[in-house]
Amino acid sequence: MHNLLDPAILFFVIGVVAGTVKSNLEIPHAISRFLALYLLMALGLKGGFALSHSGLTASVGASLAAAVFLAVCIPLLGYWILRRFVSGFDAAAVAATYGSVSAVSFVTAVQYLENQQLPYGGHMAAAMALMESPAIIMAVVLANALRQKASSGLIALGGGVAGLSAQPVRQGGALGKILHESFTDGAQLLLLGAMVVGLLTGDAGKVAMQPFSGDLFKGMLAFFLLDMGLLAARNFPPAQARSHVLIAYAVLGPILHASLALGLAFLLKLPTGDGVLLMVLAASASYIAVPAVLRHALPESNPALYFGLSLGVTFPMNIMVGIPVYTAVARAVLH
């Protein structure tokens, strides 16, 4: 309940209400894009300033290794589960969506930890960046394997599926393009670049950028969550139309992923704040970067499926309930 009384979360609730009653409240796309870039830049600076104090320690390396492990394990687990209920292409797309991360969920969790005065490592912003691309790459590899099997006559697919006649050379070229887009994505480059700036400038940079990355942060986050509330409300009805199995996965999958992250944090003896952020990253699902790539990389999949589940179900659950629950559990286990 305390999390719901946070101003940023209350603005998210206002957005959900406005979207549900079909209000004409709108945030222009250009402003929404600016807010997203601002939050990533401010988060990168915060992480860099914190990392300039802590340095590169064994705990930092363990956290980053755990993040990479989860980024590989979660989409494989998701694909293995979902393949029984939906087509291979849809299973790969949904698994990639849930194997990647939500930057907004991470930013909200960072703000929550600061409100709770629970310290965390600035390197966790780098962990977020590392976790975004592996799931996309694995989805493309799985899709190419399905296409290869289909073209070889090993599996039967329904009509209307695009790209089954693509040759392996073209598929390799497409994978190369996806790899390039994944590792040169502007949002990731901004995040990591801002982190480097914070790391290099240290305390002097923190003082200079405080009005930008500190004082404005809370208000900008509230404004952006208002827009996210509108989007979540408008994507919930399509998500409701999905099978009960997929709805269950959108709710229970993040809990399972967060539990895996908690287990890793316990084994690696990570600090509580880092453990919370690792859990939030594992439990989150992408609704910006991954869907944008999958529309072109997996045209055989249904965008309404993975976008509706991630933004209509999982994102609101994590923002309003998940973050405080993950924090409470991590405090009990990792203290």
Side-chain angles (χ1 to χ4, degrees):
M1 185 64 187
H2 174 75
N3 194 42
L4 289 176
L5 296 180
D6 182 274
I9 303 301
L10 287 175
F11 273 103
F12 176 79
V13 174
I14 290 172
V16 171
V17 172
T20 302
V21 301
K22 303 187 186 310
S23 167
N24 63 353
L25 177 62
E26 291 283 351
I27 307 297
H29 177 72
I31 293 179
S32 178
R33 177 65 174 165
F34 164 75
L35 290 171
L37 292 175
Y38 164 81
L39 291 173
L40 288 172
M41 185 175 175
L43 179 65
L45 286 170
K46 284 171 175 277
F49 297 145
L51 196 55
S52 69
H53 282 283
S54 65
L56 297 175
T57 64
S59 178
V60 170
S63 298
L64 297 181
V68 173
F69 176 81
L70 289 170
V72 174
C73 178
I74 289 174
L76 285 176
L77 178 62
Y79 181 78
W80 180 75
I81 293 172
L82 293 167
R83 187 65 182 87
R84 293 162 169 75
F85 305 103
V86 296
S87 73
F89 292 109
D90 282 335
V94 174
T97 302
Y98 280 80
S100 190
V101 296
S102 163
V104 181
S105 299
F106 181 80
V107 171
T108 307
V110 165
Q111 185 64 53
Y112 182 78
L113 292 182
E114 291 179 355
N115 291 343
Q116 296 288 309
Q117 297 183 339
L118 185 61
Y120 61 90
H123 61 278
M124 293 306 296
M128 180 184 72
L130 288 173
M131 291 181 72
E132 186 167 286
S133 298
I136 301 174
I137 297 167
M138 293 175 66
V140 174
V141 171
L142 289 171
N144 282 346
L146 290 170
R147 294 183 188 114
Q148 290 278 8
K149 289 182 181 180
S151 63
S152 301
L154 297 178
I155 60 172
L157 292 177
V161 176
L164 294 183
S165 61
Q167 297 300 315
V169 174
R170 292 183 61 190
Q171 289 176 8
L175 178 58
K177 182 178 180 181
I178 297 300
L179 286 169
H180 179 267
E181 290 179 354
S182 297
F183 289 111
T184 61
D185 177 69
Q188 283 206 67
L189 287 179
L190 177 62
L191 173 69
L192 295 175
M195 184 180 297
V196 171
V197 170
L199 179 61
L200 293 177
T201 57
D203 289 338
K206 184 176 183 179
V207 172
M209 298 299 290
Q210 174 61 27
F212 176 82
S213 60
D215 298 340
L216 290 177
F217 187 82
K218 186 78 171 183
M220 292 289 199
L221 176 60
F223 202 178
F224 190 67
L225 285 180
L226 172 66
D227 186 37
M228 290 296 98
L230 289 168
L231 287 175
R234 290 162 186 170
N235 282 276
F236 183 65
Q240 278 185 307
R242 306 300 165 191
S243 71
H244 295 305
V245 172
L246 291 176
I247 295 294
Y249 179 79
V251 174
L252 299 178
I255 298 174
L256 172 61
H257 304 160
S259 300
L260 290 174
L262 178 64
L264 280 176
F266 178 78
L267 291 174
L268 296 172
K269 296 180 171 55
L270 299 184
T272 302
D274 292 2
V276 171
L277 293 180
L278 192 65
M279 291 174 72
V280 171
L281 287 171
S284 67
S286 175
Y287 51 83
I288 298 176
V290 173
V293 173
L294 293 183
R295 282 179 180 271
H296 304 288
L298 273 75
E300 303 91 340
S301 62
N302 181 4
L305 183 64
Y306 50 81
F307 189 78
L309 290 174
S310 63
L311 187 55
V313 179
T314 303
F315 179 71
M317 181 188 77
N318 279 331
I319 290 295
M320 294 190 288
V321 179
I323 291 173
V325 170
Y326 303 147
T327 304
V329 173
R331 274 181 155 158
V333 175
L334 303 177
H335 66 280

